Amino acid sequence: MSRVALKPLLLGATGLVALLACCLLATPLGGAGAATVTYRNLVLHAVGGFQPQRLPRKAFAPISFQGEVSFSTRSGAGRPVALTEAVIEFDRDGRLDVAGLPTCAADRVAILGTAEARAACRGAMVGEGLVEAAVETTPGAAPVPLTAPLTIFNGPAEAGHPTAILHANLGAPAGQTFAITAPIERIPGPFRYRVTIHVPPIAGGLGSLTRLRVDIGRRFQAGGQPRSYVSAHCADNILETRGRFTFADGTIVDGSVEKFCRAE
């Protein structure tokens, strides 16, 4: 079960936009728990969940999570407006542990294909998934769809904060390898972490992200002790996540969702 809270946002020149309480992690898997918002010609759809849903009330326990967000056009023609930034904040009942986990810098995999990047930084892998994009090669023609595996590595700390490296290799006509550094900031208040992802232009601005799927979770040994990259507890029966998605035309999709857990 999940509860979705929507709120409007006034955006100056772009006016009042529809906002969706959504994120990659926070709605249960399956169509019944999916979150969808439509604004002008943009359709954003998100679904996800974490496992296990039964967690200790006080102690932290290892979890993994899966999530997917997709972008399409309401008309069904052309490519959606390009996503430029995603900012996601995670509940204080969640915890990240990178102590003793190997790191992989973005420049180490920036020119490598997927197999080569995973071989070079296998010890730092914390997740994988899929990236899909659409690229316009000819005005008026249908966009060319592209699909590439996504790999997520534990990155080197920046300004005292851990980072994640998102790696994907998009083939022709984009012909780009992305190695994006996403800082994971510890923040005060009801949320513990803030992850910021800046999405570079695809195919020189002729492409748009259409789908992103992630599966994150890594258990490892450090100092002779078992550890988990992500863990959580169920202090108040709710794990909340807040997301903010910014698009090239100024549209912002923003809000929060609550996923219910069961305390042991």
Side-chain angles (χ1 to χ4, degrees):
M1 180 180 183
S2 59
R3 182 167 70 236
V4 177
L6 301 179
K7 61 176 183 177
L9 180 68
L10 191 61
L11 292 181
T14 62
L16 187 67
V17 302
L19 299 178
L20 168 67
C22 72
C23 76
L24 301 182
L25 319 179
T27 53
L29 294 172
T36 302
V37 66
T38 300
Y39 175 68
R40 294 180 178 168
N41 197 35
L42 173 68
V43 179
L44 186 155
H45 179 83
V47 62
F50 63 88
Q51 297 171 347
Q53 292 182 323
R54 189 179 296 275
L55 296 168
R57 187 170 294 277
K58 295 184 178 180
F60 284 89
I63 65 169
S64 64
F65 58 81
Q66 309 79 36
E68 181 176 314
V69 60
S70 63
F71 310 96
S72 59
T73 61
R74 186 175 187 176
S75 65
R79 64 180 174 94
V81 61
L83 177 72
T84 59
E85 182 184 78
V87 179
I88 304 173
E89 296 177 343
F90 298 96
D91 197 297
R92 297 196 65 80
D93 286 341
R95 186 176 68 180
L96 184 75
D97 185 359
V98 297
L101 185 63
T103 63
C104 180
D107 58 5
R108 187 177 178 186
V109 295
I111 61 172
L112 300 181
T114 298
E116 293 80 8
R118 292 182 177 182
C121 293
R122 185 163 301 279
M125 278 186 62
V126 294
E128 56 187 316
L130 188 72
V131 174
E132 294 183 357
V135 176
E136 294 177 343
T137 57
T138 304
V144 176
L146 301 177
T147 302
L150 171 70
T151 311
I152 305 170
F153 300 104
N154 177 43
E158 290 188 355
H161 300 290
T163 67
I165 307 300
L166 283 65
H167 178 274
N169 190 297
L170 290 177
Q176 289 176 270
T177 298
F178 296 96
I180 301 170
T181 300
I184 307 172
E185 301 174 84
R186 188 80 176 258
I187 58 175
F191 297 91
R192 186 182 297 269
Y193 300 105
R194 176 185 295 134
V195 180
T196 302
I197 304 171
H198 295 288
V199 183
I202 297 174
L206 298 177
S208 299
L209 186 69
T210 56
R211 184 183 176 208
L212 177 68
R213 191 187 75 221
V214 298
D215 189 339
I216 297 176
R218 167 76 186 276
R219 299 190 187 190
F220 59 101
Q221 291 277 336
Q225 299 294 321
R227 297 179 179 272
S228 177
Y229 180 66
V230 285
S231 58
H233 61 196
C234 190
D236 56 4
N237 299 111
I238 292 173
L239 295 180
E240 184 178 4
T241 309
R242 183 165 61 197
R244 179 183 175 96
F245 298 84
T246 302
F247 297 85
D249 66 352
T251 296
I252 294 176
V253 178
D254 179 275
S256 62
V257 287
E258 296 174 346
K259 172 69 180 178
F260 290 85
C261 57
R262 296 183 180 181
E264 292 184 331

